[in-house]
Amino acid sequence: MTTLAHPPQKTMASSSSRKRSNPRSGRSAPNQRATAESMAGQQREISVSEFFAKNRHLLGFDNPRKAMLTTIKEAVDNALDACEEAGILPELFIRVLPLNETRFKITVRDNGPGIVRKQIDHIFGKLLYGSKFHRLKMARGQQGIGISAAGMYGLMTTGKPVLIISKTSRRKPAHQIRLKMDTQKNRAEIVSDEEHREDDKLFPQGHGTQVVIELEGRYLKGRQSIDEYLEQTAIANPHAQITYINPNNETIEHPQAVDELPEEPLEIKPHPKGIELGTLIQMLERTGTKQLGGFLQKDFCRVGPQKAKEICKKAKLTNRTWLKTIGHSEAEDLYQAIQSVKLMAPPTNCLVPIGSKALLAGLLRGVKAEFFAASTRPPAVYRGNPFQIEVAIAYGGKLPSDEPARVLRFANRVPLLYQQSGCCSFKSVTETGWKNYQLQQPRGSLPIGPLVIMIHMASVWVPFTSESKEAIADYDEIRKEMKLALKECGRKLGMYLRRRKRMKRQAERRFVFERYIGEIAKSCQSITGTDAERIYKALFKQAKQKTHEADFELDDEGKVIDDGGNIAQDEDVVIIESRQFESSDDEADTTLFGPEKTLRNGKKKKNSRRNGRKKKRR
């Protein structure tokens, strides 16, 4: 008897495979896997502007309020850089005009050299385009992103193009351009381009630039606001004159505190200690020299003929080795030889610090305090990049005494208002032992007291933590220099506070003596018959001898001025006696700036009483 086989049955796999291969269906099955060819067909190039348009929070445009601040910050930075490079004392005009509750028109005008017509498209309509990225030279801008990103944000939120008016000389009329950015191609699209002689009146000096951006924003006063940014910019740039009209149509003037431009920094070559192996290989491929000795001397700083020979010898090469014969192994030996050779630190003429006088001028104009001190550290190096740290402090006066100290952070003269806790400057302040300088300080926190701390880093390349340039990266070399500068200012403050406390105690003792000297003199006269006035003078002379420290006059470091009048001059300290005993319990100022007189060349008379005494001694 034969057993019949089971008839073939349709399986789920076979039916599903037929379903996937059905050519009539316009859609593939959900579980169909992609192939290399299909994935290749979906790939395309992404432009840098398209990337940042989707990730605008990386550039500081993550909320309307911060977007307005970032826009003004980038425009002001460009204006100050242009004026300083052209040797012009900056005069800036900023206006924030509200169009409705959420839309504003921002205008920034400067008296700089202007922008030539052919460069306007690239500067305002292309991301990562500029003259500062490839130069080892101190500048506010670094990446070539800022102002073009601000125009891109305005275009995305309002659809309005950027308006640029530029005038380069008195003989040429002002040029007016409206442009918008094509984010897919990272280039500008010109909406209008024409000469406007009627705009010449905007530039009385015959040259300058005006940028107008309309955007979605939000205006609030207080911390991390446009007002605070411009106030701090005036501190770090006392040579600039800033006129600001806020959305409430209030005009705020920040006049020049010094009438001298800072020195122009010089561009330097890369330092051999600051490059990596891959960078060295790329430099060997792109250099215009043909032999190794010339490459080391011309493409790097601090490498002379003797050092070039020493490097070549340790790399088992010669000065006349042809660069085209150097392969990867030879480049690696060359890199190791560079690391083993002792070289001078890079030159520091590429840095222009604010300077102690200008720091004190800015703080004196803006902070109602009694004691001011500043410190400028010698230049140092991180990753082959030279940098310099400056610190200034203001204490007492009408500053609130029951609040944490206020930290003002700057990088290349630009205020940093966001990401304070992640900044190396803030960490340096919290790690400094302020209890040693007569101040209260909770563990791991800011000191408590009427104190303002200003920290400035000048460098050819500031290591920001993000593209929005809001915080300085925490390098050990940078933090060390910041703490040393803070301690130097702290020692001066501690000397001043300790001396002031002793003087106050002696004055209180004398007051007690004076209350009873008269009664004692009268009693002695009634008992002994001696003249009461004579007894009073003798006792008062004795009281002055016992409390003589109350009459001491202090020099700039808190030391006593000797009888010969030899004053220990310190240009980095200013004491304003009229504010020494102002009670901090009074109504404290919530704003940073007060009606302080404008200073010239950073100089101010310390106090009139001292000057009078000096004249009397002469």
Side-chain angles (χ1 to χ4, degrees), residues 375 377 389 391-393 425-432 434 437 453-455 479-492:
S375 172
R377 291 288 303 164
I389 299 298
V391 169
I393 62 173
S425 303
F426 182 81
K427 294 177 182 178
S428 301
V429 176
T430 57
E431 292 179 5
T432 301
W434 293 96
Y437 313 123
I453 303 172
M454 174 180 175
I455 302 180
R479 194 190 330 165
K480 176 185 175 182
E481 289 296 317
M482 288 181 175
K483 291 173 70 174
L484 288 173
L486 287 166
K487 289 178 180 178
E488 186 175 345
C489 288
R491 284 192 292 270
K492 295 177 182 180

Side-chain angles (χ1 to χ4, degrees), residues 367-530:
V367 182
K368 294 181 178 180
E370 67 188 65
F371 176 87
F372 301 84
S375 172
T376 300
R377 291 288 303 164
V381 179
Y382 84 95
R383 286 180 53 193
N385 298 315
F387 73 97
Q388 197 165 4
I389 299 298
E390 299 176 284
V391 169
I393 62 173
Y395 177 86
K398 290 189 176 181
L399 296 174
S401 59
D402 56 349
E403 297 180 4
R406 187 175 181 188
V407 180
L408 308 180
R409 302 171 294 125
F410 296 84
N412 287 353
R413 301 176 182 262
V414 178
L416 309 177
L417 301 185
Y418 287 87
Q419 299 182 15
Q420 176 175 267
S421 59
C423 184
C424 182
S425 303
F426 182 81
K427 294 177 182 178
S428 301
V429 176
T430 57
E431 292 179 5
T432 301
W434 293 96
K435 290 183 179 179
N436 299 330
Y437 313 123
Q438 309 297 307
L439 293 175
Q440 300 179 7
Q441 183 183 18
R443 180 175 296 180
S445 301
L446 294 172
I448 305 297
L451 183 65
V452 173
I453 303 172
M454 174 180 175
I455 302 180
H456 174 241
M457 176 181 178
S459 178
V460 296
W461 184 261
V462 180
F464 292 113
T465 57
S466 66
E467 293 86 351
S468 56
K469 300 181 291 186
E470 294 168 347
I472 301 172
D474 190 14
Y475 282 86
D476 292 338
E477 300 91 339
I478 297 174
R479 194 190 330 165
K480 176 185 175 182
E481 289 296 317
M482 288 181 175
K483 291 173 70 174
L484 288 173
L486 287 166
K487 289 178 180 178
E488 186 175 345
C489 288
R491 284 192 292 270
K492 295 177 182 180
L493 176 61
M495 293 171 62
Y496 169 74
L497 292 179
R498 284 190 290 269
R499 177 65 69 182
R500 194 180 69 169
K501 286 181 180 179
R502 288 197 294 268
M503 293 173 64
K504 187 176 181 181
R505 286 196 298 267
Q506 296 286 21
E508 290 173 352
R509 289 182 61 195
R510 180 180 296 178
F511 176 71
V512 174
F513 288 145
E514 290 176 351
R515 288 181 61 184
Y516 300 103
I517 285 176
E519 297 296 329
I520 293 173
K522 291 178 181 178
S523 299
C524 290
Q525 183 181 18
S526 61
I527 295 172
T528 63
T530 308

Side-chain angles (χ1 to χ4, degrees), residues 65 220-225 228 403 406 417-418 590:
R65 186 187 184 209
L220 291 173
K221 286 188 176 182
R223 296 291 174 88
Q224 298 179 338
S225 65
E228 184 191 29
E403 297 180 4
R406 187 175 181 188
L417 301 185
Y418 287 87
T590 56

Side-chain angles (χ1 to χ4, degrees), residues 301-404:
C301 65
R302 298 306 195 194
V303 179
Q306 295 301 323
K307 288 296 180 181
K309 287 181 180 179
E310 185 179 352
I311 292 172
C312 294
K313 184 177 180 180
K314 289 196 174 187
K316 298 179 180 180
L317 299 169
T318 67
N319 275 351
R320 297 183 178 181
T321 300
W322 296 97
L323 296 184
K324 62 183 179 182
T325 63
I326 296 179
H328 186 278
S329 59
E330 290 83 3
E332 192 164 355
D333 293 338
L334 181 63
Y335 177 77
Q336 296 299 331
I338 290 174
Q339 303 307 313
S340 63
V341 172
K342 290 185 177 180
L343 297 171
M344 292 179 62
T348 57
N349 52 9
C350 55
L351 303 177
V352 180
I354 298 174
S356 298
K357 288 185 179 180
L359 283 173
L360 292 173
L363 284 178
L364 279 164
R365 182 180 65 179
V367 182
K368 294 181 178 180
E370 67 188 65
F371 176 87
F372 301 84
S375 172
T376 300
R377 291 288 303 164
V381 179
Y382 84 95
R383 286 180 53 193
N385 298 315
F387 73 97
Q388 197 165 4
I389 299 298
E390 299 176 284
V391 169
I393 62 173
Y395 177 86
K398 290 189 176 181
L399 296 174
S401 59
D402 56 349
E403 297 180 4

